[in-house]
Amino acid sequence: MFESPLWFCFIVSTTALTLFSMDISVAHESPKKSPKRSLGISIVIIALISIAVGIFVPFSSKSDSINGLIVGGVLFIVVFIPYIYLYYLRTKQQD
Protein backbone atom coordinates (compact mmCIF):
# COMPACT_ATOMS: atom_id res chain seq x y z
CA MET A 1 0.00 0.00 0.00
CA PHE A 2 2.80 2.46 0.84
CA GLU A 3 4.87 1.63 -2.24
CA SER A 4 2.18 2.66 -4.70
CA PRO A 5 2.61 6.14 -6.24
CA LEU A 6 -1.16 6.40 -6.52
CA TRP A 7 -1.51 6.08 -2.74
CA PHE A 8 1.08 8.81 -2.22
CA CYS A 9 -0.75 11.06 -4.70
CA PHE A 10 -4.00 10.42 -2.82
CA ILE A 11 -2.46 11.38 0.52
CA VAL A 12 -0.90 14.57 -0.86
CA SER A 13 -4.08 15.65 -2.64
CA THR A 14 -6.23 14.95 0.43
CA THR A 15 -3.87 16.98 2.61
CA ALA A 16 -3.89 19.85 0.11
CA LEU A 17 -7.69 19.81 -0.15
CA THR A 18 -7.97 19.85 3.64
CA LEU A 19 -5.64 22.85 3.90
CA PHE A 20 -7.45 24.74 1.12
CA SER A 21 -10.86 24.07 2.64
CA MET A 22 -9.89 25.61 5.98
CA ASP A 23 -11.66 28.83 6.72
CA ILE A 24 -8.94 30.83 8.43
CA SER A 25 -10.35 33.93 9.99
CA VAL A 26 -8.64 36.36 12.30
CA ALA A 27 -11.70 38.49 12.95
CA HIS A 28 -12.59 36.52 16.10
CA GLU A 29 -9.21 36.90 17.76
CA SER A 30 -8.45 39.54 20.32
CA PRO A 31 -6.14 42.26 18.98
CA LYS A 32 -3.92 42.11 22.09
CA LYS A 33 -1.73 39.29 20.74
CA SER A 34 1.61 40.09 19.19
CA PRO A 35 1.92 38.34 15.80
CA LYS A 36 5.70 38.13 16.03
CA ARG A 37 5.63 36.43 19.43
CA SER A 38 3.01 33.89 18.40
CA LEU A 39 4.94 33.15 15.19
CA GLY A 40 8.12 32.53 17.17
CA ILE A 41 6.37 30.19 19.59
CA SER A 42 4.71 28.35 16.70
CA ILE A 43 8.01 27.87 14.89
CA VAL A 44 9.64 26.43 18.01
CA ILE A 45 6.74 24.03 18.61
CA ILE A 46 6.61 22.96 14.96
CA ALA A 47 10.38 22.38 14.95
CA LEU A 48 10.25 20.28 18.13
CA ILE A 49 7.40 18.15 16.81
CA SER A 50 9.15 17.69 13.45
CA ILE A 51 12.39 16.69 15.15
CA ALA A 52 10.56 14.21 17.39
CA VAL A 53 8.78 12.66 14.40
CA GLY A 54 12.05 12.56 12.46
CA ILE A 55 13.73 10.72 15.33
CA PHE A 56 10.92 8.21 15.87
CA VAL A 57 10.38 7.27 12.19
CA PRO A 58 13.57 5.17 11.86
CA PHE A 59 12.79 3.38 15.11
CA SER A 60 9.19 2.61 14.23
CA SER A 61 9.88 0.97 10.88
CA LYS A 62 12.74 -0.80 9.20
CA SER A 63 14.03 2.31 7.46
CA ASP A 64 17.17 4.34 7.72
CA SER A 65 17.69 7.77 9.23
CA ILE A 66 17.36 9.59 5.89
CA ASN A 67 13.67 8.67 5.81
CA GLY A 68 13.23 10.22 9.24
CA LEU A 69 14.96 13.36 8.04
CA ILE A 70 12.71 13.53 4.98
CA VAL A 71 9.50 12.94 6.97
CA GLY A 72 10.49 15.50 9.61
CA GLY A 73 11.40 18.08 6.96
CA VAL A 74 8.20 17.57 5.00
CA LEU A 75 6.14 17.78 8.18
CA PHE A 76 7.86 21.02 9.13
CA ILE A 77 7.22 22.57 5.72
CA VAL A 78 3.60 21.40 5.52
CA VAL A 79 2.74 22.84 8.95
CA PHE A 80 4.93 25.94 8.63
CA ILE A 81 3.28 27.30 5.46
CA PRO A 82 -0.22 27.75 7.02
CA TYR A 83 1.36 29.48 10.04
CA ILE A 84 3.14 31.93 7.73
CA TYR A 85 -0.19 32.67 6.04
CA LEU A 86 -1.86 33.16 9.42
CA TYR A 87 0.97 35.51 10.46
CA TYR A 88 0.40 37.49 7.26
CA LEU A 89 -3.32 37.79 8.04
CA ARG A 90 -2.64 38.90 11.61
CA THR A 91 -0.14 41.58 10.58
CA LYS A 92 -2.49 42.77 7.86
CA GLN A 93 -5.31 43.09 10.41
CA GLN A 94 -3.12 45.06 12.82
CA ASP A 95 -2.22 47.61 10.14
Side-chain angles (χ1 to χ4, degrees), residues 33-69:
K33 290 184 178 179
S34 171
K36 290 183 181 180
R37 182 173 182 228
S38 64
L39 180 69
I41 292 170
S42 299
I43 290 173
V44 169
I45 291 172
I46 293 169
L48 290 175
I49 291 172
S50 299
I51 290 170
V53 168
I55 290 172
F56 289 128
V57 163
F59 295 124
S60 66
S61 63
K62 296 179 181 178
S63 62
D64 52 355
S65 61
I66 193 73
N67 287 342
L69 183 65

Side-chain angles (χ1 to χ4, degrees), residues 39 42-43 46 74-85:
L39 180 69
S42 299
I43 290 173
I46 293 169
V74 168
L75 180 67
F76 180 79
I77 291 169
V78 166
V79 177
F80 182 67
I81 290 172
Y83 273 94
I84 291 294
Y85 181 65

Side-chain angles (χ1 to χ4, degrees), residues 81-93:
I81 290 172
Y83 273 94
I84 291 294
Y85 181 65
L86 188 62
Y87 172 73
Y88 168 73
L89 289 177
R90 285 180 179 162
T91 54
K92 187 176 174 183
Q93 182 191 22

